[in-house]
Amino acid sequence: LYVLAWLANRARSRDFGGPWDRWDSAIAVWIGAAFAAAAFAGLGAEWRDTVDVVRYGSVLWLMKRSRYSDRVLIALLVALAAGTVAALAVGYYRILLTTNYQFLGLKSVAHVNHSAIFLAIALGATLMATRAWWGAARAPWRVAGVVTTVLFAVSPFVVQSRAVVGAPVVMVAVLLLAYAVRHRRGMRRPA
């Protein structure tokens, strides 16, 4: 439905996102890499998994080419963070106040490894959004950004996913290093 709505809106406005750029190439290579991986896997069952990459990549591609305003993108990021907080609230309720669950997980994501990966991605998004908007944000938004970032940083450890537990640490270090280099600042302040 999103693709159909996007096509209808773009056709009506006669604006399909402007000329091809590096991001278009990166998304095309990502989608193509899924097909290459399936072709060379040698097992045969991998082809159905390429549909996921096509679906996620296509949504990303269409969003990138939509030229949404910063206001719309900020609202989308806030909605995604709020939805993740709500899913975490249910997960913490399930492990802390019931005896049915042993591990923290996002119900919408299912497996603990997948939950931890999702939380690592959410951590990166909230960390950089909080850092980017810090100077212009009012105190309540700063507090919300810090609390959400800390919640997303701690939760992968509570998930107890050995496969993903290091990802948040590495990602935070890389993102803060990139921020420091980009803005020609030392690591002391971002750390």
Side-chain angles (χ1 to χ4, degrees), residues 1-13 16 58-59 62 66 68:
L1 289 175
Y2 176 73
V3 171
L4 293 175
W6 188 90
L7 288 170
N9 287 330
R10 298 297 107 200
R12 187 179 55 195
S13 68
F16 288 88
S58 297
V59 169
L62 297 179
S66 295
Y68 289 128

Side-chain angles (χ1 to χ4, degrees), residues 88-131:
L88 270 176
V90 171
Y92 277 113
Y93 168 79
R94 288 166 53 181
I95 66 163
L96 296 175
L97 299 176
T98 69
T99 57
N100 299 340
Y101 298 93
Q102 182 179 2
F103 300 106
L104 174 64
L106 303 175
K107 185 175 183 193
S108 57
V109 179
H111 194 276
V112 292
N113 287 343
H114 299 160
S115 295
I117 291 166
F118 188 89
L119 287 168
I121 293 167
L123 168 63
T126 56
L127 172 68
M128 294 320 298
T130 301
R131 184 65 200 106

Side-chain angles (χ1 to χ4, degrees), residues 136-173:
R138 293 190 175 128
W141 283 108
R142 286 181 177 187
V143 169
V146 168
V147 168
T148 304
T149 300
V150 168
L151 178 65
F152 292 170
V154 169
S155 294
F157 294 94
V158 178
V159 169
Q160 299 180 25
S161 169
R162 292 177 309 219
V164 185
V165 79
V169 174
V170 171
M171 183 177 41
V172 167

